[in-house]
Amino acid sequence: MTQNRRFPVRLDLKQGTVDMSHGSGGRAMAQLITELFHRYLDNALLAQGNDQALFSPPPGRLVMSTDGHVISPLFFPGGNIGSLAVHGTLNDVAMAGARPLYLAAAFILEEGFPLADLARIVESMADTANQCGVPVVTGDTKVVERGKGDGVFITTTGVGVVPEGIHISGDLAQPGDAVLVSGQIGDHGVAILSKRENLGFETEILSDSAALHELVADMVAAVPEIHCLRDPTRGGVATTLNELAHQSGVGMQIREEAIPVRPEVMAACELLGLDPLYVANEGKLIAICPGDSAERLLAVMRAHPKGKDAAIIGEVVEDGLNFIQMETRFGGSRVVDWLAGEQLPRIC
Amino acid sequence: MTQNRRFPVRLDLKQGTVDMSHGSGGRAMAQLITELFHRYLDNALLAQGNDQALFSPPPGRLVMSTDGHVISPLFFPGGNIGSLAVHGTLNDVAMAGARPLYLAAAFILEEGFPLADLARIVESMADTANQCGVPVVTGDTKVVERGKGDGVFITTTGVGVVPEGIHISGDLAQPGDAVLVSGQIGDHGVAILSKRENLGFETEILSDSAALHELVADMVAAVPEIHCLRDPTRGGVATTLNELAHQSGVGMQIREEAIPVRPEVMAACELLGLDPLYVANEGKLIAICPGDSAERLLAVMRAHPKGKDAAIIGEVVEDGLNFIQMETRFGGSRVVDWLAGEQLPRIC
Amino acid sequence: MKYVDEFRDQKLARQLAGAIAAEANPGRQYRLMEFCGGHTHAIFRYGVQHLMPPNLRFIHGPGCPVCVLPMARIDQAMAMALEHEVRLCTYGDLMRVPASGRRSLLKAKAEGADIRMVYSTQDVLRIARESPDRQVVFFAIGFETTTPPTAVAIKTARAEGMTNLSFFCNHVLTPSALRTILATAGPDGVQLDGILGPSHVSTLIGSRPYAFVPEEFQTPVVIAGFEPLDVMQATLMLVRQLNEERCEVENQYRRAVTEEGNLKAQALMAEVFKTREQFEWRGLGFLPRSALALADTYADLDAEQRFPVDIGEPKEVKGCECPAILRGVKQPTDCKLFGTLCTPENPMGSCMVSSEGACAAYWSYGRHRAPAPQAQAL
Amino acid sequence: MKYVDEFRDQKLARQLAGAIAAEANPGRQYRLMEFCGGHTHAIFRYGVQHLMPPNLRFIHGPGCPVCVLPMARIDQAMAMALEHEVRLCTYGDLMRVPASGRRSLLKAKAEGADIRMVYSTQDVLRIARESPDRQVVFFAIGFETTTPPTAVAIKTARAEGMTNLSFFCNHVLTPSALRTILATAGPDGVQLDGILGPSHVSTLIGSRPYAFVPEEFQTPVVIAGFEPLDVMQATLMLVRQLNEERCEVENQYRRAVTEEGNLKAQALMAEVFKTREQFEWRGLGFLPRSALALADTYADLDAEQRFPVDIGEPKEVKGCECPAILRGVKQPTDCKLFGTLCTPENPMGSCMVSSEGACAAYWSYGRHRAPAPQAQAL
Amino acid sequence: MCLAIPARIIEIDPATDIAQVSLGGVRKEISLALVNDAQVGDYVLIHVGYALNKLSEEEAEQTLALIREMGLLEATEEEGATPGGQA
Amino acid sequence: MCLAIPARIIEIDPATDIAQVSLGGVRKEISLALVNDAQVGDYVLIHVGYALNKLSEEEAEQTLALIREMGLLEATEEEGATPGGQA
Ligand code: SF4
Ligand code: SF4
Ligand SMILES: [Mg+2]
Ligand SMILES: [Mg+2]
Ligand SMILES: [Mg+2]
Ligand SMILES: [Mg+2]
Ligand SMILES: [Mg+2]
Ligand SMILES: [Mg+2]
Ligand SMILES: [Mg+2]
Ligand SMILES: [Mg+2]
Ligand SMILES: [Mg+2]
Ligand SMILES: [Mg+2]
């Protein structure tokens, strides 16, 4: 009668849904963790089942970064919230020039969320983490009532180690530096918009969601004098350049023509009244390095598959107003400001 | 006309509310971060304004732990979600015997959330982090639409360093070990319940929300042979003991009479049909150590203000079923099982 | 806590245990049914069975309102919430009770049904006042203890002229169930030597309604409180009646139970409710005059009339022995599903849900059957 | 993109700039009003003003539907959403427009108003179909370009017998505003030498409705597309008319604009709408016969009638020069709030919201006034 | 069935028939709609937010006295009896 | 005002008067309710999900030709003219 099988009835990963008991701390939660999270994210540190992971990092300076992921739709062309949550944080770690080591993942699940979707998400997180060689070593699960969440939110936190001799920070850009971008911009934002039912448009565009730490490793190995790296996510390239200009107390002069944008992305933006400079990316980076290293850095980037369309898009200039000025494709000049509010589809 | 003040109109921390633009990546978000998060959480690493924090940890093994915080109500007797988010993660780091070093915090804000409440929460987080000597060095902010969140969720992640010679893990309990608790149980859960409008009861009970890393530092210094530490949060002492028994493949024999419970907590539980063993704590720990170290450990715990009501509540026994058995105050014996589902107020 | 702690005293318990052991005649069986789940819970939680002589056995009765609620009524409530999109208010106890197709209110809520847990009918009234545009249904369950609070809410709803609140009434009557148990007892059913009578139900209805038990069924009754000393004292009183071949209704729980009970509450129930011709009890079948419906003058507040639903034949889980357990003829350990497929996390039957259900009590407190170390010390 | 990229060609632009510079008579001023915000946007985004000789100046007109919407109408829509609890559908452009008391639809939404951004009236129909129990209001704004899609939705709502959808109509008529601008021009108002006529509005209404401009006001009009070469070519055409002392309606945007316009759309508008006796335009005041309301046969779908609201006197921000800017008599830099208290994050007036608003365009593209380095290279 | 617990009335609002009861330092609001003539100081049995009945102090003491007596009688007769366990 | 963009019709559902248009690799669903006799292959001006009008290829080419002519005339006359900036 009494027996030792911990969970006599398996979690129903086909028809089941998340309910409040999955966040209660009791056996239903233990079962969710065992049969879903541990099953996919399988690694020795996680399997210990402690509330924390213990590891011995290589010597050197560490970086830590955290990001909450709240995307809608959860599944989009080129990825889902699970793969994105891995890429996003790995990239923020890598943007210090660091090698990512470990990830932590905290899930906030909404009551009623299908376990099948959760399993797909966690599986894809696991695959992504595997491919990147960066395991999810500790985690947490909470459940909120229906109407107090949005399916699933995933907050990931990463730690990584910075090679010696690398000093990368948003406040190090200097007049004379070159500004580079690692590839075509705007793909992620447009891929997401294309799944918004009411916009009714279709493209072949996939999110560029990707991990950039290997590209960064090549870059810092070849050009250790890089000053800034940042991934132009929310707010797009325009916002990231403004952030960097402000942090470093400089201005920038960029050339619209030099900025790689796919024609489909351009077309979708025209349709919706958006500007690709403000559209989110999830697998691109902005790099700023001394002007005379720029060609060398560009060559290294182009040699890596994730930087093959890299381009030098402008240079850092002195400017007390920290403006980003752009020479337009048409030959005019404009200020590229921060995004104000949200970028919404417009009619005029 | 044009001028360099970055945010001409200050954030309205009295009447303002969070809106979607605060999560857009644009200037409204930059302003929220500058005038609210950085203002309160003020420290050199955060002030750099990078997407990650860079630091040189002391040599040794590191631990990392993450927890999402989703509590309702956000403000409760003895704390709020901000202080809780600091304590909760520091404690999970400390439960490896570690000294916490740094925290990361990711906020998910619901559209419409009052900025005044957010400021109170972040201020209290900052105070708590300050008192604990563990700064919040990196963070993230997302905004979700109304009805897709619950005011604010805070996911914190902590890293810490484990002193040499300390080996603490949930799978190390052995028959003959003693089981200790650091103080009165159930305070947090009852304090939260007392604020649920529909239960209509009042107590003087405050949440026990507190950081335990200093208590832990004393404990591991004096008794480095401690086998397990865990904070009995969701699911309470009963669930934590079951987790540890299961992880270590042992059983436990505990004595109801030895477990410290405040009379008010006991009374509230009687009123609502709850069992204090399953009620959450946020400033208590369970420690398991070799039986012959138990009195020494107890003395060290009692010497610290956060362990002054510590007690030895039972011992680890061999048991293939990994049961927690309890000698009741009445003199009977019962199994103390995992919590099934949520613990809800009952009528029968 | 006054009136609580005194009745949990370990030393007195040991002495009472000694007295029972001394007085129990080794030559006979004492098969005592504790009617109420509250007694069942106390017996398991405090290990009372351990303190009894081997020839004295407690048989768990049907006195758990959650356990005796037939699956069809849960299906019906779920259909109201899902099809009529009402805001369904219910006590937390019902959330996890299995309905047809392994569903439950908890799962329906996760799927989007608007289900609110309440602690009191005062909450129900508050919810209805706060959402005048929303139809609110109170899923009312319980014995005579829980019925008067529903009656208060019904009267209040009428007095305030609420048009958005109605009541799905599942209140049942204890004496009727007791009669059925006794009528089917005997060689083919459960064998009973005495009854531990209801505690808080009796607070309301008094001790008089049990007079039929000794009269018609020649079985002694002792009304007993829910604290462990109450149960033990009442047990000793039954042992003495049996030893002395007395057969009467005695009242151990005198501090809360009188002969006539709470007349005010009784009047309220009489005004607001009428007795149903019959009603289904899980395990006991359709029992005549065993449940309440809203009186004709309150019929407009009856959710069954306001929100008619069409549910299929409820599908009981194969192998679940709840019905036999509720009649006292089987024990949880007689069920093949107990502890394998049926656990408190995944209850197959209602007896595994409520902490008063025999299966849940057995799982939580009685599962580990090695003799408890302190039993020796007594 | 065909019909787009060709009209953004840098080399042709340089050549056109050269032609304008060559043909413009240095002895006179060319004060050209681009009526449309679309032109304003193109002029700033592509730096067209940089390419013009110093005596040729663009004056920004009132042709931005967001900019000319009076604050009272936003207040009214917000009141419908908050007091009548309707589901308010609106184009994204309106979300951040300041209403009284520094509020906006974005803030009302954050405070709990049910406000949905739509991209098309097709979405509005879908939303209304999906929530039959909910009253849905479409907050319709725009010139003749955006009006026919609203007409389609109104006809569809009627055809499908929808009872939960209504329309808060704020559609305005371009020629009427143009007449007002011209009538108040002169020594005390704006001084105009020529008009760049509407682009997409003309697609619908055709080129004929502008005949009154040369006839009554002796001012030449060139209807111009929104691509930068369109604007430049039309500018050259105006320069030539002025140099040659011609005064007529010319059509640069021939690929999309005919004399008669889109007759099908015109018929639809005529059926569904009627002209209001007068309507307030921000900056221009109450203009006679300058806006549309639902025709009497569709009056039951009029949200203003279905959800009457009582709003106070709207409170304009002190110091905001939007009205003067919309009349062309001031520039954004003449406003004391520009760039200090008024920025796109914290707009004080509607001209700082829409990317077609003169203040927003000026902020985004023209704020930095040092000569752009590449201007030298041209 | 029917979880109920005794608590002491510490305050009554006669207008609403709502009382505050106290139990081990916890205060709770309950309805007195089901009981007559409850007074501050009385102990009442609380169930789902209602007082079901008053408790009789006298009866409680008599019950306890009886329990003690039943036990003591025995204790003198068979000190240390240890009945066998049966689950 | 009135953001609109030309796109090519690639598919028409005559039952609903809904068309698929294509623009630089992007497909979008739009309504043809406002135009008569639009055919697959036509370019239409898209605004808030509706086709406003067909575009005339012939007129577009003539316009471009005129622009070239206007510019060329000048280019020969004043090569390299650099008008001064004014914001
Ligand atoms: S163990 Fe489960 S299935 Fe078996 S009788 Fe009890 S409730 Fe029914
Ligand atoms: S800058 Fe702002 S306040 Fe000034 S006119 Fe423009 S919109 Fe109005
Ligand atoms: Mg980050
Ligand atoms: Mg990031
Ligand atoms: Mg980043
Ligand atoms: Mg956790
Ligand atoms: Mg939701
Ligand atoms: Mg943790
Ligand atoms: Mg924790
Ligand atoms: Mg923990
Ligand atoms: Mg971030
Ligand atoms: Mg909410």
Side-chain angles (χ1 to χ4, degrees), chain D residues 2-36:
Chain D
K2 194 169 172 186
Y3 300 123
V4 174
D5 297 329
E6 311 91 287
F7 294 93
R8 294 181 186 173
D9 184 83
Q10 189 178 150
K11 191 164 148 257
L12 287 175
R14 199 182 303 180
Q15 292 170 357
L16 274 181
I20 293 169
E23 295 189 30
N25 178 346
R28 63 159 295 171
Q29 294 288 311
Y30 297 88
R31 291 158 301 194
L32 311 181
M33 174 174 272
E34 83 277 9
F35 183 82
C36 283

Side-chain angles (χ1 to χ4, degrees), chain D residues 85-288:
Chain D
E85 296 184 3
V86 306
R87 179 162 292 166
L88 189 75
C89 297
T90 178
Y91 294 125
D93 311 59
L94 280 176
M95 291 301 289
R96 297 160 36 74
V97 179
S100 291
R102 307 214 47 196
R103 306 192 63 216
S104 66
L105 294 176
L106 185 77
K107 287 189 183 142
K109 175 168 175 281
E111 289 159 16
D114 186 353
I115 296 174
R116 308 280 169 112
M117 273 171 284
V118 294
Y119 171 76
S120 168
T121 58
Q122 297 283 333
D123 298 341
V124 176
L125 292 167
R126 184 179 47 76
I127 288 170
R129 285 185 200 109
E130 285 172 4
S131 54
D133 295 339
R134 189 107 185 124
Q135 284 292 328
V136 176
V137 170
F138 177 49
F139 186 178
I141 59 155
F143 291 106
E144 293 88 338
T145 330
T146 317
T147 308
T150 303
V152 172
I154 292 171
K155 283 202 70 163
T156 308
R158 164 61 49 84
E160 295 185 13
M162 291 184 186
T163 55
N164 68 320
L165 177 58
S166 56
F167 297 82
F168 179 43
C169 184
N170 294 278
H171 289 298
V172 285
L173 300 170
T174 314
S176 165
L178 191 50
R179 176 181 295 277
T180 302
I181 294 286
L182 288 162
T184 59
D188 300 339
V190 60
Q191 309 214 341
L192 293 178
D193 300 304
I195 303 280
L196 287 167
S199 169
H200 295 139
V201 160
S202 307
T203 294
L204 274 293
I205 68 174
S207 61
R208 258 194 222 123
Y210 306 105
F212 76 93
V213 181
E215 277 170 35
E216 291 182 35
F217 297 99
Q218 296 75 49
T219 306
V221 176
V222 178
I223 293 164
F226 280 158
E227 296 303 334
L229 286 189
D230 290 325
V231 173
M232 291 180 76
Q233 184 184 29
T235 299
L236 181 52
M237 289 164 78
L238 277 175
V239 166
R240 285 180 181 175
Q241 281 203 46
L242 291 167
N243 287 353
E244 296 163 16
E245 295 189 351
R246 282 186 291 121
C247 183
E248 49 198 76
V249 175
E250 286 183 303
N251 180 6
Q252 178 276 334
Y253 195 34
R254 304 183 73 84
R255 64 189 184 277
V257 175
T258 60
E259 247 184 273
E260 73 276 2
N262 181 333
L263 297 174
K264 186 179 184 188
Q266 290 169 28
L268 199 61
M269 286 194 275
E271 179 194 340
V272 170
F273 297 109
K274 66 178 180 191
T275 306
R276 293 178 192 258
E277 280 313 307
Q278 58 165 21
F279 192 76
E280 189 186 359
W281 290 55
R282 189 148 212 250
L284 307 183
F286 286 88
L287 305 189

Side-chain angles (χ1 to χ4, degrees), chain C residues 11-341:
Chain C
K11 189 165 148 254
L12 287 176
R14 200 182 301 179
Q15 291 171 356
L16 273 181
I20 293 168
E23 295 190 29
N25 178 347
R28 63 160 295 171
Q29 293 287 313
Y30 296 87
R31 292 159 301 193
L32 311 181
M33 173 174 273
E34 84 276 10
F35 183 83
C36 283
H39 293 133
T40 309
H41 187 79
I43 288 166
F44 278 97
R45 175 163 177 195
Y46 298 100
V48 174
Q49 181 73 73
H50 283 256
L51 305 176
M52 296 295 125
N55 57 333
L56 191 155
R57 195 156 72 83
F58 292 113
I59 294 164
H60 317 310
C64 159
V66 168
C67 303
V68 298
L69 190 70
M71 204 179 253
R73 303 295 284 186
I74 309 267
D75 289 351
Q76 238 173 302
M78 256 166 45
M80 285 182 197
L82 290 167
E83 289 163 28
H84 291 282
E85 297 185 2
V86 305
R87 180 161 292 165
L88 188 75
C89 297
T90 178
Y91 293 125
D93 310 58
L94 279 175
M95 291 301 289
R96 297 161 34 76
V97 179
S100 291
R102 308 212 48 194
R103 305 190 65 216
S104 66
L105 294 176
L106 186 77
K107 287 186 183 144
K109 175 168 175 280
E111 289 160 16
D114 187 352
I115 296 174
R116 309 280 168 111
M117 274 172 283
V118 294
Y119 171 76
S120 168
T121 59
Q122 297 283 334
D123 298 341
V124 176
L125 292 167
R126 184 179 46 78
I127 288 170
R129 285 184 201 112
E130 285 172 4
S131 54
D133 295 339
R134 190 110 185 120
Q135 283 292 329
V136 177
V137 171
F138 178 50
F139 186 176
I141 58 156
F143 290 105
E144 292 89 339
T145 331
T146 317
T147 308
T150 304
V152 172
I154 292 170
K155 283 202 70 164
T156 308
R158 165 61 49 84
E160 295 185 13
M162 292 184 185
T163 55
N164 68 321
L165 177 58
S166 56
F167 297 82
F168 179 41
C169 184
N170 294 278
H171 289 298
V172 286
L173 300 171
T174 314
S176 166
L178 191 51
R179 175 182 296 278
T180 301
I181 294 285
L182 288 162
T184 59
D188 300 339
V190 60
Q191 309 214 342
L192 294 179
D193 300 304
I195 303 280
L196 287 168
S199 168
H200 296 138
V201 160
S202 307
T203 295
L204 273 295
I205 68 174
S207 60
R208 257 193 222 122
Y210 307 105
F212 76 91
V213 181
E215 277 172 35
E216 292 182 31
F217 298 99
Q218 295 75 49
T219 305
V221 176
V222 177
I223 293 165
F226 280 159
E227 297 302 335
L229 286 189
D230 290 325
V231 173
M232 291 179 75
Q233 184 185 28
T235 299
L236 181 52
M237 288 164 78
L238 278 174
V239 166
R240 286 184 178 171
Q241 281 204 46
L242 291 166
N243 288 353
E244 296 163 15
E245 296 188 352
R246 281 185 292 123
C247 182
E248 49 198 75
V249 175
E250 287 183 302
N251 181 5
Q252 178 275 333
Y253 195 33
R254 303 184 75 85
R255 64 189 183 277
V257 175
T258 60
E259 248 185 273
E260 73 276 3
N262 181 332
L263 296 175
K264 186 178 184 189
Q266 289 169 29
L268 201 61
M269 287 194 275
E271 178 195 339
V272 170
F273 297 110
K274 67 178 180 192
T275 306
R276 293 177 191 259
E277 281 311 308
Q278 57 165 23
F279 193 75
E280 190 187 358
W281 290 56
R282 191 147 209 249
L284 307 184
F286 286 89
L287 306 189
R289 303 188 64 71
S290 65
L292 300 173
L294 274 72
D296 295 340
T297 43
Y298 289 92
D300 57 315
L301 301 181
D302 188 344
E304 285 183 83
Q305 298 188 23
R306 194 179 291 182
F307 303 108
V309 291
D310 198 15
I311 54 159
E313 186 67 23
K315 286 186 216 78
E316 293 283 345
V317 174
K318 259 203 199 128
C320 172
E321 300 281 10
C322 275
I325 289 166
L326 287 164
R327 286 197 309 276
V329 297
K330 288 205 175 170
Q331 293 197 27
T333 45
D334 296 331
C335 172
K336 287 209 193 77
L337 305 181
F338 179 81
T340 56
L341 285 176

